[in-house]
Structures are given as C-alpha cells and as structure tokens.
Amino acid sequence: MNQDEMKKAAGWAALEYVERDTIVGVGTGSTVNHFIDALGSIKGDIEGAVSSSEESTRRLKEYGIPVFDLNTVDQLSVYVDGADEINDHMQMIKGGGAALTREKIIAAVAEKFVCIADQSKLVKLLGEFPLPVEVVPMARSYVARQLVKLGGDPVYREGVITDNGNIILDVHNFNVVNACELERQINGIVGVVTNGFFAERSADSLLLATPDGVKKINNK
Ligand code: 5RP
C-alpha cells in the first residue's frame, strides 16, 4: 500500500463516526479529500457540513453537500481532519495546508475530533515538522522576532495568503518539551492569529492507516 492508499483507507474509515441527519465538521488536506469522497457517497444521509477551508468547501459543493456557516450551527458531533504530526497523547501539529485557524475553530466547537492519518504522521516528539503560525501581515517581523526569543527559527511561507487574508510563518527547530505551554505562549504574541499546535484541544480518536489496515486508537 502506498501513502495515498493509506490516506484513502483512513479517510473512508472515518465514515463510521458520521451520524445520520447531522452536520459534519470537515478539515482540509489530501487525507480529508478522501473523507470528502466518502461523504459524497452518503450525501443523502447527512444534513451537510461545516468546512475549514475554501478548498474543502469547493469539493463538498461539487458533491452537492450543503456547506453551513459555523455561526448558524450550535452543535457539531464530529470533526474529521488530518495532521502533519500526531503523538501518543493525540497532540498534533497542523497547518501544512495553511488552514489551521478555521480548523482550530471547528475543532473547538466539535464534541469529537477524529484525526485521520497514515502511519508516517505518528511521532514520538512533536516538532520535526515546522510549526505553522498564522500572523496578521503587518506584524510579521515583530512576531518573527518574538518566535526567535522562544527558541524557534521562523521562515516566511512565500506566496501564501490564508483564507483569512493573513500570512504563515513556519517555525523550525522548536524544542517541544510542553506543547500546551508553547501553544499558549505563541498565541500570546500580539499579531498571532493562532498556531498549529493542537495540544490543548487534542484529538479524541485517531484512525491510523498502516499497510496492515486502519488502527483505531482512542484518547485515554
Ligand atoms: C491543513 C492541515 C492538514 O490536516 C495537514 O496538513 C495534513 O495534510 P495531508 O492530509 O495532506 O497530509 O492541517 O492545514
């Protein structure tokens, strides 16, 4: 099984968490694209979706799945999304696709966060994948200097503007001892919209695709 086949297996396995006649939270990325294909196959059974990016919205609409504004939705039973890294505590780094802020908002609303990933995403320690930080454009240099003080090496992601009109700094070389603490510290820098640690709000379940099948791991 190649990596994309594993992503597909994880994406389709997440259908198990989708309840009939509900609105489903949908993340962003190549693994989620398989989940959207899976949702398309049962579109008559769900009320619709809330989406974490313009790209996922476009794909959902192609299937004829109604996409709701999150402000009109007061309850979301499940949010399904991928990750760039996930550890044993179900803490993640996300934002490789620059959709981290909307992803974090939907994850906060959802009762259950189901992470779908191939086995390459499971790590012992977070931080080899550079941490994406969404920043208001005028604060870019200031935020970069503050990130250096926290021990990171920020790199401006050239040519990328988020769906919210902001820029991304990818921070290399963080020594991640306490992801929750670092998540809070970075979010405390003026000009930061949010950062790609999903440590405070970790996943509730992980569907981890391996060549032997999809393993279901629940957060303790
Ligand atoms: C997008 C994300 C994605 O979930 C993450 O980048 C994983 O992507 P993929 O499924 O393509 O490997 O956080 O902002």
Side-chain angles (χ1 to χ4, degrees):
M1 234 193 228
N2 65 32
Q3 191 181 24
D4 191 56
E5 286 165 340
M6 285 191 268
K7 288 181 181 202
K8 183 175 179 179
W12 280 77
L15 275 189
E16 171 191 340
Y17 290 90
V18 175
E19 292 168 24
R20 277 185 85 90
D21 301 322
T22 60
I23 296 172
V24 183
V26 176
T28 298
S30 55
T31 316
V32 164
N33 282 342
H34 290 296
F35 175 61
I36 294 173
D37 293 339
L39 275 184
S41 74
I42 58 148
K43 67 176 176 195
D45 294 342
I46 59 170
E47 202 179 324
V50 290
S51 164
S52 63
S53 65
E54 300 299 326
E55 177 57 17
S56 289
T57 298
R58 190 187 60 73
R59 294 199 81 250
L60 287 159
K61 286 185 173 168
E62 269 177 11
Y63 276 112
I65 297 172
V67 178
F68 291 86
D69 179 339
L70 183 64
N71 292 305
T72 66
V73 175
D74 51 19
Q75 212 197 351
L76 207 55
S77 58
V78 70
Y79 176 57
V80 177
D81 200 357
D84 296 301
E85 287 184 345
I86 182 162
N87 68 14
D88 288 342
H89 304 291
M90 302 278 201
Q91 298 172 324
M92 294 161 281
I93 285 182
K94 292 181 44 52
L100 61 159
T101 298
R102 295 187 188 188
E103 291 174 345
K104 210 176 250 197
I105 294 167
I106 302 177
V109 174
E111 279 163 41
K112 193 174 185 70
F113 185 139
V114 177
C115 179
I116 50 175
D118 66 87
Q119 62 181 8
S120 70
K121 306 296 182 67
L122 186 63
V123 297
K124 280 268 161 270
L125 273 181
L126 295 176
E128 195 175 316
F129 190 92
L131 180 77
V133 180
E134 181 164 350
V135 177
V136 174
M138 72 173 286
R140 186 182 86 202
S141 299
Y142 169 73
V143 170
R145 291 194 294 274
Q146 302 308 113
L147 290 167
V148 169
K149 286 183 193 164
L150 289 175
D153 295 321
V155 176
Y156 174 42
R157 201 184 292 183
E158 297 273 354
V160 171
I161 298 290
T162 70
D163 287 346
N164 314 306
N166 298 310
I167 61 104
I168 298 285
L169 295 175
D170 290 306
V171 191
H172 297 247
N173 300 324
F174 265 140
N175 178 19
V176 186
V177 178
N178 182 337
C180 287
E181 176 61 19
L182 199 48
E183 182 177 4
R184 277 192 293 270
Q185 282 179 314
I186 297 168
N187 282 344
I189 301 170
V190 175
V192 168
V193 180
T194 198
N195 70 80
F197 279 126
F198 283 59
E200 293 257 298
R201 203 293 180 238
S202 54
D204 299 297
S205 296
L206 167 62
L207 292 171
L208 188 72
T210 74
D212 303 324
V214 178
K215 293 184 182 159
K216 193 195 300 183
I217 304 163
N218 290 321
N219 204 346
K220 291 150 210 156

